[in-house]
Amino acid sequence: MASDTPSAAAHVFEQTEMLLNMGPQHPSTHGVLRVLLKLDGETVVDLDCDIGYLHRGVEKICEHDTYPMITPYFDRLDYVAAVNGDLVYVEAVERLMGVELPRRAEYLRVILAELQRIASHLLWLATHALDIGAATIFLYAFREREEILKIFENFTGARLTAHAFRIGGLQWDANPEFVRDVLAFLDILPGRIDEYETILSENRIWLARTVGIGVLTAADAIDTGLTGPVLRGSGVAYDVRRAAPYSVYPEFDFEIPTGDTGDTYDRYLVRMQELRQSVRIVRQAIEGLPEGSVMAARVPRVIKPPAGEVFHTNESPKGEIGVYLVSDGTNTPYRLRVRPPCFVNLQALKQLAVGHLVADVVALIGTIDIVLGEVDR
Amino acid sequence: MSGPIALHWAPQAASPPPPPPVVPSWSPVELIESIGVPHGFAEYVVWPAVQLALILFVVLTAVAYLTYLERKVAAFIQARLGPMRVGPVGLLQPLADGLKLLSKEDLVPAGADRFVYLAAPVLAVTAALGLLVLVPFGAAWGTVTDINIGLLFLLAVASIGVLGIVLAGWASNSKYALLGAMRSSAQLVSYEVALGLALVGPLLFARTLSMQEIVESQRFTGLWWVAVQPLAFVVYFIGSLAETNRAPFDLPESESELVAGFHVEYSGFRWSLFFMAEYANIIITSAIAATVFLGGWSMPGLETAVSWIAGTDATTPLYSTAFTLLSIGVFAGKVLVLVYVVMWVRWTLPRYRYDQLMDLGWRWLIPVSLANILISAFAFLVAMRPDQGGLLGLVEVTKNGLWMGWAGTAYFLLVNLATFAMAAWLLAKLNKTAWSTDLHALRRVEALRRAGRLATAEEARAE
Amino acid sequence: MSERRSIGSVLSRLLLVDLFKGLAVTLRYNARALVEARDGADPTQAIYTAQYPKERPLVGERWRGAPKLNNDPRTGESLCIACNICALVCPVDVISVGQANREVRDGEKRKKKKVLTTFEFDTSRCMFCGLCQEQCPTLCLELTQEFELAVESRAGLVWDREMLEKGIHVVTYKK
Ligand code: SF4
Ligand code: SF4
């Protein structure tokens, strides 16, 4: 805007707004998100998200990879909830092929998926609290998450990108210590959740930073297409595990926590409740874990689903993750498309943040719980 | 107040005031003189130089090890071990850090105001270290100098340090740094007031601004002023957290929002100067708190402990040395406890938002400290001896300090309760909603605020 | 002001009870950290971290780490039959198998047989998904429990057959 004419120079001084680039290298944008803020003082007047720094073209890659080769890519969409990503993909392919899974495989899948949900929510809590300045919660939550990662490591062979499931079941049966480890973890976790809540839930600073911040009414949330804890925080009890049950979820007894006003504090409470509900599900699944094989009997060596299409959705920790799969009968999909919850939820950021302060933007990015791997794909 | 309505039934300050407690008379100046240095030169040049060198050395080492302590405290709180690799249990870590920082490149961002940019950290650290000269580290020769407006001077110079931060933020030519500096100056303006007002309370009792005499007054009365001014202590402590930019008030450098705030562009040794200033400031504010509220270097039983070591003759060099060293130890202990609390708070609590910080300062801390001053002053007036202008005669002003018997002490402790109740009432009147724990009320307030901010932004644009 | 304030709630708010509850949790951790044993990686202890380069963690048996080409323990020859399945199944084309047809004597008969010549494995692009080891018909290619794969040059990330058979040289710290 450099100009020598006096009127233009005067205009510069008249301006009260400032553009601030938050990210892509910023500690609180949870990856490589770039948020362009227009500030008036510290008040956010306008906001624009610039995404795509992590775009790898996963959907296109999938078009020329065989079906088993695609599973690892789903680990890397939402890389902090890899198991849930795997689950939705293998279930979509299985639905297309009409494979019936042994019950043990289904149970193990549910256990792993719910553990992953706990891990993902713990990571969210850790980073959200860190954004708001409570650094210690960060390490406490990481400690508990570490236990889950150890369980994954022993079961699947990797901690983060687990590649837990194969089309038609699981690669391995549970390792011998699996049940013991999971039960030991379940015994510890509720006490630890209490600990986090002692530090945060009543803390006046935490309340001041979250209560009333980023209020989203139920109608707005539905209009924007939000799902997951962000939607439930606004009071809509929509959870794919209940609304369109998949796997063996109907066999378990659990509740769907909802908030009432839809502010950051409600979303915090919802996720804390979900942690406890996931503990409940895992415990039931471990107790009812059937014996038997973990791989469906009739899965061909080369997977060629019949021509057709399927849209399958799951409840990932971030929201409703969907896979749209078109098969032309060959060993590679004709088209694969992911409905990423993070991408959709991120669209609410502007709605949430305008009128709040810079510090709140950080809290709001945290409360949406995005993973850029999934936003950018 | 005296005259007809003076009540003479009240217990006059039970017994006559005792003589002032002993202060050892010998000082190392005599030692320096004994090797032939002329008196004035020894007292005003040589000895202070030795003291300053010692203090700078000790404090700079302490600052380095505070970073170590901070990391260890954080680690232990967070289920970690902290630095363990350099030296036994990581004890040489500060040295390694220092070497690393010294060998790093000193970057100046393009478009920065070069001179100001380079000078700002020096200003910050000079202001912090310059204050050390007035801190009463110990009795007798444990203090460099003692001027009659010591506390005032400390507060005045301490605020120069913030100038360093503001200049750094301005000169960096970076928006994050600018926002940090902006926050810092606003924070300073509001919390300096609360801080100063909080100190007035104990000064009513100490009746002097000289740091050494504040300690002596508490020693004479046999009471730490925190007992009679707990509210002021809390306000001072919160204010000092904000003054030194520590969590939950570390907004100028909040790493999750402003990345690192005012020092985001700094690197290498200049960056470490800011760190040194921050830790030195923590030491100094803690030292002021220890001096004004916690009895400074005095401690019940200190004299007894010294007499075990060095007998009872207060004029011998041994007595003086033992007394000084022990008192320095006591003082260091108190400061360390306060510093630990500061770190402990930092690693537990989330961070306030900028406007909430202002709220807390202007609508909570300043009214409380004002109320505290008014009520304390009134209570003090009532308690004074009728012939000194008071009413009850529970406390007597002597030239060595206040003298109050058990009745006076009990009276002031009761006054604390009254102050607490009145302050609570005042806060309730001032902060109708923020005061409530009702979440729905809080939500409404936030929604209103957001709407208000949007409206002002809209107006500004319309113009 | 819909909520009725009780004396208790007002007092607890004035006395900062909510903050002190949190502070008590952290203080307890701090105190426990000073007295408890620190074996590392035990979630019930106050200190959870292990001193990594000194104490090497035991990774799971199924861990997918550094690749390895196994030799037949009896003959010492490579188990690989150069079937190229691993290269085909790899989603990111990490593996390239070199093969040659050689004449081998089997007793009296002479046979033409495909044998392995070179084997390249680019660890910089491998995502350790484990598909290759799953598909290997002879259990030759294996992802081992070794997890320290850092090298000093980019080229060093491409492992040749010799490296794959011997394994990477890992420096262990004792101090
Ligand atoms: S582990 Fe996966 S990515 Fe790596 S070489 Fe094997 S198949 Fe390819
Ligand atoms: S799959 Fe196994 S046998 Fe076949 S080429 Fe690869 S390593 Fe060799």
Side-chain angles (χ1 to χ4, degrees):
Chain A
M1 302 231 168
S3 168
D4 295 327
T5 59
S7 63
H11 178 67
V12 169
F13 288 110
E14 269 167 20
Q15 259 183 354
T16 54
E17 284 160 6
M18 167 167 111
L19 281 183
L20 184 69
N21 246 321
M22 210 181 202
Q25 288 93 9
H26 187 280
S28 308
T29 51
H30 294 214
V32 283
L33 173 68
R34 171 165 164 244
V35 185
L36 196 58
L37 297 171
K38 195 190 261 183
L39 300 180
D40 177 24
E42 289 217 12
T43 310
V44 179
V45 185
D46 201 357
L47 170 156
D48 199 10
C49 288
D50 190 1
I51 61 171
Y53 288 89
L54 206 57
H55 180 64
R56 295 150 294 174
V58 168
E59 289 170 0
K60 190 70 189 167
I61 292 176
C62 292
E63 283 173 24
H64 35 86
D65 272 358
T66 63
Y67 286 93
M69 280 156 70
I70 292 172
T71 329
Y73 284 109
F74 273 79
D75 283 335
R76 286 155 182 81
L77 287 181
D78 179 355
Y79 41 78
V80 301
V83 171
N84 299 80
D86 286 353
L87 186 62
V88 67
Y89 170 70
V90 291
E91 281 193 347
V93 179
E94 282 157 8
R95 221 170 102 183
L96 204 57
M97 292 167 62
V99 179
E100 194 60 33
L101 285 204
R103 283 180 59 72
R104 186 174 172 83
E106 295 276 24
Y107 267 70
L108 286 176
R109 280 184 175 185
V110 167
I111 295 171
L112 288 185
E114 289 304 312
L115 283 177
Q116 182 75 83
R117 187 184 312 278
I118 297 175
S120 169
H121 278 4
L122 284 175
L123 185 92
W124 160 80
L125 176 68
T127 50
H128 188 42
L130 187 67
D131 289 346
I132 299 187
T136 296
I137 295 287
F138 178 77
L139 283 128
Y140 288 170
F142 259 62
R143 175 185 55 193
E144 270 68 78
R145 177 169 173 264
E146 179 68 23
E147 285 300 302
I148 299 181
L149 296 189
K150 272 194 224 158
I151 291 172
F152 282 172
E153 174 187 321
N154 289 329
F155 191 129
T156 67
R159 292 154 52 85
L160 208 60
T161 48
H163 195 192
F165 308 133
R166 304 294 186 273
I167 294 160
L170 286 84
Q171 188 195 3
W172 281 303
D173 198 352
N175 54 317
E177 309 86 32
F178 177 68
V179 172
R180 192 201 65 200
D181 287 351
V182 173
L183 284 178
F185 172 69
L186 293 187
D187 287 341
I188 293 178
L189 186 63
R192 296 286 162 80
I193 301 176
D194 290 343
E195 227 166 51
Y196 311 146
E197 296 213 71
T198 329
I199 297 182
L200 294 182
S201 287
E202 286 168 35
N203 187 317
R204 67 188 63 198
I205 307 178
W206 182 260
L207 289 180
R209 289 301 304 277
T210 55
V211 172
I213 307 296
V215 180
L216 201 63
T217 60
D220 279 348
I222 292 172
D223 285 350
T224 320
L226 307 187
T227 47
V230 186
L231 176 65
R232 292 192 284 274
S234 299
V236 184
Y238 174 76
D239 186 320
V240 187
R241 290 175 294 175
R242 268 288 153 72
Y246 52 95
S247 196
V248 283
Y249 275 107
E251 294 171 27
F252 301 119
D253 180 25
F254 64 99
E255 278 151 29
I256 297 171
T258 51
D260 45 11
T261 40
D263 57 0
T264 303
Y265 188 66
D266 268 343
R267 290 186 280 271
Y268 157 78
L269 287 183
V270 163
R271 287 196 178 97
M272 294 311 265
Q273 286 299 317
E274 281 183 14
L275 281 176
R276 295 180 197 277
Q277 295 301 328
S278 290
V279 170
R280 250 175 92 185
I281 298 176
V282 176
R283 200 178 278 283
Q284 289 171 44
I286 285 275
E287 275 158 11
L289 187 63
E291 291 300 316
S293 139
V294 294
M295 198 69 189
R298 299 154 67 82
V299 182
R301 203 172 158 73
V302 178
I303 288 166
K304 284 186 181 170
E309 57 178 50
V310 65
F311 181 65
H312 186 71
T313 61
N314 266 7
E315 183 72 21
S316 94
K318 314 286 190 296
E320 181 171 1
I321 184 170
V323 169
Y324 175 58
L325 190 63
V326 183
S327 163
D328 52 3
T330 60
N331 63 352
T332 58
Y334 176 73
R335 171 82 170 104
L336 188 145
R337 144 114 191 127
V338 184
R339 184 235 184 250
C342 294
F343 174 77
V344 180
N345 290 357
L346 182 61
Q347 308 313 314
L349 184 61
K350 181 172 175 180
Q351 217 168 321
L352 292 175
V354 170
H356 282 305
L357 303 181
V358 182
D360 293 325
V361 175
V362 164
L364 288 170
I365 295 175
T367 191
I368 297 177
D369 191 12
I370 49 163
V371 168
L372 269 298
E374 195 180 85
V375 174
D376 295 345
R377 279 163 293 143
Chain B
M1 276 271 181
S2 63
I5 46 162
L7 300 176
H8 289 282
W9 52 264
Q12 302 285 317
S15 49
V22 284
V23 177
S25 56
W26 183 85
S27 122
V29 175
E30 288 176 30
L31 195 72
I32 298 170
E33 276 170 17
S34 69
I35 55 168
V37 183
H39 173 75
F41 196 61
E43 187 168 355
Y44 296 111
V45 181
V46 181
W47 175 232
V50 173
Q51 274 180 317
L52 280 182
L54 266 177
I55 285 175
L56 268 187
F57 176 72
V58 171
V59 170
L60 287 184
T61 321
V63 163
Y65 273 89
L66 274 192
T67 63
Y68 174 77
L69 182 71
E70 169 109 60
R71 292 170 71 176
K72 276 289 183 193
V73 167
F76 286 155
I77 282 178
Q78 300 173 340
R80 299 183 285 125
L81 274 173
M84 287 294 274
R85 304 279 301 162
V86 193
V89 292
L91 271 173
L92 296 181
Q93 187 69 43
L95 210 68
D97 285 349
L99 277 179
K100 184 199 81 174
L101 287 170
L102 267 177
S103 58
K104 277 182 132 177
E105 188 186 350
D106 186 11
L107 284 171
V108 181
D113 187 336
R114 198 178 162 85
F115 175 72
V116 181
Y117 181 84
L118 296 182
V122 180
L123 183 61
V125 82
T126 317
L129 294 181
L131 292 174
L132 291 172
V133 80
L134 276 176
V135 174
F137 290 101
W141 46 273
T143 307
V144 184
T145 182
D146 184 34
I147 58 176
N148 55 358
I149 50 158
L151 190 58
L152 205 60
F153 183 81
L154 275 178
L155 287 180
V157 178
S159 26
I160 293 182
V162 181
L163 211 58
I165 290 179
V166 174
L167 289 180
W170 173 252
S172 293
N173 190 27
S174 153
K175 287 172 183 172
Y176 285 118
L178 184 63
L179 279 177
M182 211 169 71
R183 286 178 174 190
S184 184
S185 43
Q187 193 165 322
L188 168 88
V189 169
S190 13
Y191 279 78
E192 197 88 318
V193 181
L195 208 68
L197 289 177
L199 285 174
V200 174
L203 288 183
L204 283 174
F205 290 83
R207 311 186 76 75
T208 169
L209 279 169
S210 140
M211 295 297 272
Q212 201 59 266
E213 280 170 31
I214 291 174
V215 179
E216 291 289 354
S217 74
Q218 297 177 65
R219 213 167 145 222
F220 178 78
T221 315
L223 203 63
W224 294 351
W225 298 141
V226 67
V228 291
Q229 291 285 321
L231 215 53
F233 179 64
V234 172
V235 172
Y236 177 83
F237 184 75
I238 297 175
S240 71
L241 284 181
E243 273 286 296
T244 49
N245 295 335
R246 296 288 295 188
F249 309 108
D250 54 346
L251 299 171
E253 50 187 292
S254 51
E255 71 270 7
S256 62
E257 302 147 24
L258 300 188
V259 196
F262 62 89
H263 58 61
V264 67
E265 302 291 347
Y266 281 86
S267 68
F269 198 63
R270 280 180 211 281
W271 179 84
S272 78
L273 284 183
F274 275 122
F275 246 65
M276 262 158 66
E278 173 174 341
Y279 283 98
N281 270 326
I282 293 171
I283 294 185
I284 284 157
T285 45
S286 302
I288 296 179
T291 309
V292 177
F293 290 98
L294 300 179
W297 47 259
S298 73
M299 186 87 178
L302 182 68
E303 288 82 1
T304 333
V306 174
S307 65
W308 283 340
I309 304 171
T312 47
D313 183 3
T315 52
T316 60
L318 179 63
Y319 188 92
S320 170
T321 312
F323 196 99
T324 308
L325 292 184
L326 272 183
S327 63
I328 290 178
V330 167
F331 187 74
K334 287 176 184 174
V335 171
L336 212 61
V337 168
L338 284 174
V339 167
Y340 175 78
V341 174
V342 169
M343 292 180 177
W344 173 31
V345 166
R346 164 164 184 191
W347 293 109
T348 309
L349 300 183
R351 177 184 307 120
Y352 267 115
R353 207 175 58 200
Y354 174 63
D355 59 328
Q356 290 158 351
L357 180 91
M358 293 294 130
D359 251 26
L360 185 72
W362 289 100
R363 287 173 47 194
W364 295 75
L365 296 187
I366 292 178
V368 165
S369 38
L370 278 175
N372 183 47
I373 293 171
L374 277 181
I375 299 167
S376 304
F378 183 71
F380 191 82
L381 209 58
V382 169
M384 273 203 302
R385 258 197 4 217
D387 59 327
Q388 290 179 330
L391 203 58
L392 295 179
L394 292 169
V395 53
E396 184 183 338
V397 181
T398 73
K399 71 174 195 309
N400 296 315
L402 293 184
W403 179 242
M404 47 176 131
W406 60 267
T409 315
Y411 167 80
F412 280 113
L413 293 182
L414 277 178
V415 167
N416 276 338
L417 281 181
T419 318
F420 187 74
M422 302 262 268
W425 175 82
L426 182 73
L427 288 181
K429 284 283 163 240
L430 276 178
N431 304 296
K432 283 220 167 66
T433 45
W435 146 272
S436 161
T437 49
D438 180 357
L439 293 185
H440 284 281
L442 280 177
R443 282 178 176 131
R444 272 202 305 280
V445 172
E446 265 309 323
L448 285 177
R449 279 192 186 163
R450 182 182 178 186
R453 279 197 291 259
L454 274 179
T456 37
E458 202 59 48
E459 261 170 43
R461 223 174 318 169
E463 282 165 19
Chain C
M1 297 293 107
S2 51
E3 191 192 34
R4 279 272 295 280
R5 293 191 209 138
S6 69
I7 292 289
S9 76
V10 168
L11 265 186
S12 72
R13 183 138 176 91
L14 270 183
L15 296 176
L16 313 176
V17 171
D18 48 338
L19 299 185
F20 281 114
K21 273 202 269 178
L23 286 169
V25 173
T26 45
L27 185 65
R28 203 156 54 233
Y29 267 107
N30 195 346
R32 279 177 57 199
L34 292 172
V35 293
E36 272 184 19
R38 306 156 171 183
D39 304 338
D42 181 348
T44 56
Q45 284 174 2
I47 298 256
Y48 185 67
T49 48
Q51 293 296 294
Y52 161 54
K54 260 197 264 181
E55 306 162 11
R56 294 177 63 76
L58 270 180
V59 296
E61 211 177 309
R62 297 171 177 180
W63 179 258
R64 303 193 294 260
K68 186 165 187 266
L69 283 181
N70 287 324
N71 289 341
D72 189 333
R74 285 162 303 179
T75 61
E77 278 174 16
S78 179
L79 276 174
C80 179
I81 53 171
C83 68
N84 210 24
I85 288 182
C86 52
L88 284 176
V89 83
C90 174
V92 278
D93 300 336
V94 161
I95 301 171
S96 59
V97 182
Q99 63 201 29
N101 284 326
R102 291 250 176 86
E103 284 193 357
V104 275
R105 271 171 198 279
D106 191 7
E108 286 303 294
K109 281 180 280 179
R110 284 181 166 195
K111 275 203 301 196
K112 280 234 169 173
K113 193 181 167 192
K114 220 165 41 169
V115 291
L116 182 70
T117 52
T118 57
F119 198 106
E120 258 180 24
F121 191 107
D122 186 352
T123 52
S124 67
R125 284 190 296 129
C126 175
M127 56 180 175
F128 301 100
C129 62
L131 281 173
C132 51
Q133 73 164 3
E134 262 168 57
Q135 302 292 336
C136 178
T138 60
L139 304 181
C140 169
L141 185 60
E142 185 194 348
L143 298 180
T144 60
Q145 273 133 298
E146 194 54 61
F147 54 88
E148 286 165 336
L149 301 176
V151 286
E152 274 154 18
S153 70
R154 209 152 225 259
L157 287 166
V158 181
W159 291 23
D160 57 11
R161 183 172 167 191
E162 191 194 339
M163 226 173 146
L164 285 166
E165 281 172 358
K166 280 211 206 105
I168 192 174
H169 173 66
V170 174
V171 184
T172 44
Y173 292 87
K174 294 274 158 37
K175 271 209 304 176

